[in-house]
Every structure is written in structure tokens, then in C-alpha cells.
Amino acid sequence: AQTVTQSQPEMSVQEAETVTLSCTYDTSESDYYLFWYKQPPSRQMILVIRQEAYKQQNATENRFSVNFQKAAKSFSLKISDSQLGDAAMYFCAYRDFGNEKLTFGTGTRLTIIP
Amino acid sequence: NAGVTQTPKFQVLKTGQSMTLQCAQDMNHEYMSWYRQDPGMGLRLIHYSVGAGITDQGEVPNGYNVSRSTTEDFPLRLLSAAPSQTSVYFCASSSVGMGEQFFGPGTRLTVL
């Protein structure tokens, strides 16, 4: 079974600085998707960014970018120019290409220091 | 376009009571699923459905039942609530093969 590991339960960053959240996963599949979800205090799960494993180029969405290392099974999220609204729980998630089921990591709580 | 809706937002039950958590989506998604979120454990899959009339178990199905009679609705039933089922429950849906799952706002359930 696939597993997703987030080894940083909590992180903090100064406003306007850059922070990187780590995620590793274990799979025997070659085709899959990886996601980062944000969960603010409102509890709503919000998709931040996604990466298809067959794409070599790292995904970018405005201030959010990923470092996808397929051979190392690593999928880190970089947040640039951190803002107070970025404070949330961040979950890394995995999905097989032919399967809709998501496997989540345990999350990283990100605090933004004004 | 409401997306994924869940009712109720909060619920308190006594041990042994039954209840149904409602989930509906208006995006004509084939795939729907239920997750529970517990502190320090992320989200875990309870049950899922790939279409009307088709359901299957996820990682933590014990104590829960589901059915899918229409594309839009996917209720989760607790037949005899236990304190171990105290959690936040999320419903999600997606169009098969499109990647992104859309989540409802969640239901916080407390079982006393």
C-alpha cells in the first residue's frame, strides 16, 4: 500500500520569507498524482498545487511551487513571500493514476510570524 | 453552483445512537468518497463510490455504511455510534481521471 510521510509536524516562517514543507511517499507505481492541500482554521480543504508524475517540470501556482524528485520519491512545497493568510495545516496526498483514492500524510501546521 | 455540501456541520450523539451524515454534489461527478480526520493522523478513507449503485470500502470502514442511489448523493450512516467515531468527517467528489477532488466543508461529530 502507498504511504505518505510528512516529517515536520509544525513549521514557522517570518512574513515575506520563504518556507519549504517536506513530503516523501512510497509507491511501486510509475504513474500517479501528487497534491498539496491547505486546511485553514475554517476546516475547508483547498487544493494548492498538483503534480503529475509523468511530467518532469515542477508545478508552479503563483507563490507556490514544488520540488518533485521522482527517483527519491520526494515532493516538497515551497511557499515564497509568505503571507498571514498562508497560516494553515498543509497536507501532502498521493493518488494512483488509475484510481481515485487519495492517501494523505499526517500534515504540517504552518505558522506565519508577523 | 454549490459544489460539495455536507449536513449537519456539527453533531453530538450518545453512544449507541444512529445517524446519517448527508453529502451532495452538483458537479455530476462520478466519484464520491468519505474521509475522517483525526488529530495527528491526516485524512483516512472510509468508503467510496465510483458511480450510482457502486460502493466499496476504504481504509477504515468498520462501523459505517454507505449507499449511492443517485449520482448527486452519498450519505454516510453510523448504525451504533461509539466514542471512537468522534472525528471530523469530509465528503469529496471528483470527475474520474481528472485528478482533483473537491471537498465539502466537513462535519464535526462528537460521540459521548
Side-chain angles (χ1 to χ4, degrees), chain B:
Chain B
N1 199 346
V4 181
T5 58
Q6 290 183 238
T7 55
K9 286 188 169 51
F10 301 92
Q11 183 71 49
V12 178
L13 293 178
K14 295 181 180 178
T15 297
Q17 287 184 318
S18 63
M19 80 159 296
T20 300
L21 305 184
Q22 301 292 343
C23 174
Q25 52 93 8
D26 61 359
M27 297 173 281
N28 202 32
H29 286 166
E30 306 93 340
Y31 182 84
M32 296 185 74
S33 56
W34 279 100
Y35 295 86
R36 61 177 289 173
Q37 181 180 14
D38 302 295
M41 301 189 74
L43 279 74
R44 293 180 292 166
L45 183 64
I46 305 171
H47 285 286
Y48 64 97
S49 168
V50 297
I54 306 170
T55 63
D56 206 346
Q57 297 180 350
E59 182 184 353
V60 288
N62 292 341
Y64 308 95
N65 280 353
V66 291
S67 60
R68 183 100 179 265
S69 57
T70 66
T71 299
E72 294 78 18
D73 301 298
F74 190 45
L76 178 72
R77 298 182 185 84
L78 285 72
L79 299 180
S80 179
S84 61
Q85 294 178 305
T86 293
S87 188
V88 178
Y89 291 85
F90 287 96
C91 179
S93 74
S94 64
S95 183
V96 171
M98 297 305 290
E100 179 181 359
Q101 287 195 19
F102 295 83
F103 284 80
T107 295
R108 180 176 293 279
L109 175 67
T110 302
V111 182
L112 302 175

Side-chain angles (χ1 to χ4, degrees), chain A residues 33 35 37 39 42-47 50 89 91 95 97 99-107, chain B residues 9-10 31 35 37 40 42-43 45 48 88 90 94 96-101 103-106 108:
Chain A
Y33 295 94
F35 306 87
Y37 279 89
Q39 186 180 44
S42 67
R43 201 168 67 198
Q44 181 69 49
M45 294 289 287
I46 303 165
L47 179 66
R50 59 181 274 180
M89 281 289 288
F91 292 97
R95 177 170 89 75
F97 185 73
N99 189 327
E100 299 295 314
K101 293 188 284 186
L102 283 173
T103 300
F104 285 87
T106 53
Chain B
K9 286 188 169 51
F10 301 92
Y31 182 84
Y35 295 86
Q37 181 180 14
L43 279 74
L45 183 64
Y48 64 97
V88 178
F90 287 96
S94 64
V96 171
M98 297 305 290
E100 179 181 359
Q101 287 195 19
F103 284 80
R108 180 176 293 279

Side-chain angles (χ1 to χ4, degrees), chain A residues 46-79:
Chain A
I46 303 165
L47 179 66
V48 174
I49 199 165
R50 59 181 274 180
Q51 175 80 43
E52 290 85 350
Y54 65 85
K55 291 185 178 179
Q56 293 187 346
Q57 186 172 6
N58 289 325
T60 299
E61 289 287 344
N62 300 313
R63 297 182 295 107
F64 298 87
S65 61
V66 299
N67 183 4
F68 172 50
Q69 302 288 331
K70 190 173 185 178
K73 295 180 183 176
S74 172
F75 183 60
S76 61
L77 175 69
K78 186 172 81 171
I79 305 174

